[in-house]
Amino acid sequence: MRAYYFDNLPGDQHLPHDCVPSQPVPADTLAALNVRSWKIPVNGHEDAINAIAKEQGYKSRDTVNVSREGLGDAYEQRMQGFYHEHMHEDEEVRYVLKGSGFFDIREAPTDAWIRLAVEPGDLLVVPAGIYHRFTLDQADRINMLRLFQDEPKWIPHHRSAETDANVHRIGYLRSIGVDAQHV
């Protein structure tokens, strides 16, 4: 997984949006934001994924094909929803089987976007309460294994004053040492 600061320039969300020169984000910055990742080769990944799932308490899983074929008539609407800034009350755990895409996360307290370019073999854990979004890259397809602590669910809470006060958002900010009143 490659992590770098998003350039915030207008344009196609499927483009890399890397600053010139690039501004890589160090692993310790991601760790300070409670973003976790592993690189696990796709061939033979089952044992490693099962071990992580057991260790982290992920009890269920499914796969999702995010592409025009996989989403059908809902493609445009779903892509807009994925790219709308939001948070979840649960961790978002994704393992890339095929394809590639971008997860953008908000750095706190700076509010800068960090772009995470994911490809096959990347396992990413986006913590509950962090603002983020997702988009495909120009290849326009990704197949991911999704891991869940309980039953599969994906409930986005779009960024607003209400989500700023959400108990999971406040808990996330506290977990990274940020005072929610100053964000």
Side-chain angles (χ1 to χ4, degrees):
M1 179 183 77
R2 185 169 161 263
Y4 56 91
Y5 285 98
F6 186 84
D7 66 11
N8 284 318
L9 296 175
D12 185 348
Q13 69 194 39
H14 300 94
L15 295 174
H17 283 278
D18 199 354
C19 296
V20 178
S22 184
Q23 298 175 8
V25 175
D28 60 338
T29 299
L30 296 177
L33 296 171
N34 292 341
V35 174
R36 296 175 289 148
S37 66
W38 293 262
K39 186 69 168 182
I40 302 167
V42 174
N43 290 335
H45 70 273
E46 294 85 1
D47 288 343
I49 295 293
N50 288 340
I52 290 169
K54 183 177 181 180
E55 177 184 306
Q56 300 296 317
Y58 304 132
K59 298 179 188 93
S60 61
R61 63 185 74 180
D62 67 10
T63 57
V64 60
N65 176 6
V66 181
S67 65
R68 290 185 187 280
E69 299 81 22
L71 298 176
D73 292 340
Y75 174 82
E76 294 296 337
Q77 180 181 7
R78 296 291 300 274
M79 291 309 302
Q80 287 176 6
F82 294 154
Y83 200 63
H84 193 254
E85 185 174 2
H86 61 279
M87 57 153 261
H88 301 289
E89 294 182 347
D90 297 306
E91 291 180 323
E92 186 167 333
V93 185
R94 303 293 184 264
Y95 175 68
V96 181
L97 296 163
K98 295 179 185 173
S100 49
F102 301 115
F103 284 88
D104 297 337
I105 59 170
R106 284 283 190 188
E107 182 179 44
T110 68
D111 219 28
W113 279 117
I114 295 173
R115 178 152 272 196
L116 308 173
V118 295
E119 61 185 19
D122 288 335
L123 174 61
L124 176 64
V125 179
V126 176
I130 192 174
Y131 287 125
H132 66 283
R133 61 190 182 191
F134 170 79
T135 191
L136 294 171
D137 61 14
Q138 290 180 293
D140 207 32
R141 64 176 49 254
I142 196 168
N143 187 314
M144 295 182 288
L145 175 67
R146 303 186 308 172
L147 300 167
F148 303 93
Q149 290 180 341
D150 292 308
E151 290 303 310
K153 61 183 172 182
W154 187 85
I155 301 170
H157 299 276
H158 295 130
R159 189 170 188 173
S160 67
E162 184 178 333
T163 55
D164 285 344
N166 178 291
V167 65
H168 297 276
R169 175 70 180 161
I170 301 297
Y172 167 71
L173 291 172
R174 285 185 180 140
S175 76
I176 62 169
V178 174
D179 182 358
Q181 304 233 346
H182 295 101
V183 176

